[in-house]
Amino acid sequence: MSDGNLLGIPETRLPEDPATARLAAGEDPAAVAGAIPTSSATWATLAERALAAGGRDVEAYAYARTGYHRALDQLRKSGWRGQGPVPWSHEPNRGFLRSLAALARAARAIGETDEEARCAQFLRDSSAEGARELGF
């Protein structure tokens, strides 16, 4: 199998994230998070911005952790059982994958190396393509 899914576990594809269009239209991510707190894409955006700003690593960690947990809830509702592919090619999955990448980066920034390694491996296991796109 070319996708590395040797166990044959079906892909998980999250439903459309209603916040994606609002973020693409340039709305403030904090306002979108307040309106749609279940959006992992919004929390990922907030985490990425905090990391890019510098000096906001703890804030980035909190945003990324929130996005990660919101995405886990959505994954479970979509039939995910703790393993199997979450393809980057399915755009609604990207909020989860971006949150996981941001969590790894924020964990590294605050010196939580075990969490960084766990998140980076989880990202690679979930989507090799996503891991490459996100620099892992």
Side-chain angles (χ1 to χ4, degrees):
M1 295 184 143
S2 62
D3 65 0
N5 184 8
L6 300 177
L7 299 177
I9 299 169
E11 293 180 344
T12 301
R13 294 174 173 265
L14 292 172
E16 197 66 36
D17 185 336
T20 303
R22 292 175 68 166
L23 293 169
E27 281 192 50
D28 174 35
V32 177
I36 309 172
T38 58
S39 169
S40 58
T42 302
W43 295 109
T45 300
L46 289 166
E48 292 162 350
R49 287 185 177 188
L51 284 167
R56 294 173 50 199
D57 300 331
V58 172
E59 184 181 344
Y61 186 90
Y63 287 142
R65 172 81 49 202
T66 301
Y68 167 75
H69 280 285
R70 290 301 191 152
L72 287 179
D73 292 342
Q74 294 166 352
L75 285 165
R76 288 181 188 113
K77 286 179 186 175
S78 295
W80 183 77
R81 298 290 175 247
Q83 62 182 0
V86 182
W88 174 261
S89 60
H90 182 65
E91 195 280 328
N93 290 348
R94 292 182 184 180
F96 162 65
L97 299 168
R98 289 175 46 222
S99 290
L100 194 51
L103 185 55
R105 287 189 176 94
R108 177 178 53 229
I110 64 171
E112 197 175 356
T113 56
D114 289 346
E115 178 76 349
E116 173 194 2
R118 184 188 70 77
C119 291
Q121 187 60 54
F122 188 12
L123 176 60
R124 289 188 292 270
D125 290 346
S126 297
S127 175
E129 179 186 9
R132 283 189 305 274
E133 289 289 325
L134 295 166
F136 286 85

